[in-house]
Amino acid sequence: MAVRIAATGLRAWLVQRASAIYMLLFIVFLLAHFTVDPPHSYPAWHAWMTSYGVRIITTVFFAALLAHAWVGLRDVVMDYVHATALRVCVLALLGFSLAATGVWMMRILWMARG
């Protein structure tokens, strides 16, 4: 049983670190792109943003962001909400909110006309 708990903690730690590294790399990519070749109009920005490659890396960014938020907030809730029923409700609300945010982001990115 102790090995399983340790593996779960390691998995959460790895998700936090991997998602943080990806988000950092994505932000560096955005800064480099907008420094070297900034879009000078809305149609140029829209064309860049709706290109297939940018949609994919942006989707992965938001998936990493939501996973990072889930692990961090889940740990806070588990540390500070001691009543089991309340903890389950808070975690369910948190999970639903993050999932809804993910669906909203996917709709914005992939339903835009390119």
Side-chain angles (χ1 to χ4, degrees):
M1 185 65 145
V3 173
R4 189 174 194 293
I5 292 171
T8 302
L10 178 61
R11 190 175 318 131
W13 183 86
L14 286 173
V15 168
Q16 281 291 101
R17 292 337 176 250
S19 62
I21 290 169
Y22 183 83
M23 290 187 295
L24 175 66
L25 293 174
F26 179 81
I27 291 168
V28 168
F29 165 73
L30 281 183
L31 290 174
H33 175 75
F34 286 122
T35 300
V36 173
D37 184 29
H40 296 290
S41 65
Y42 176 77
W45 177 84
H46 186 266
W48 181 74
M49 201 60 205
T50 55
S51 68
Y52 191 69
V54 173
R55 282 183 182 185
I56 289 174
I57 63 171
T58 304
T59 300
V60 174
F61 169 80
F62 279 103
L65 179 68
L66 293 172
H68 193 85
W70 167 254
V71 171
L73 292 172
R74 183 200 61 164
D75 288 349
V76 170
V77 168
M78 291 180 70
D79 284 346
Y80 293 104
V81 179
H82 299 291
T84 304
L86 181 60
R87 181 186 307 160
V88 168
C89 289
V90 170
L91 288 174
L93 182 62
L94 177 63
F96 176 76
S97 300
L98 292 174
T101 302
V103 169
W104 179 53
M105 179 278 313
M106 292 289 286
R107 185 169 186 264
I108 290 169
L109 277 178
W110 291 96
M111 298 299 240
R113 304 224 188 266

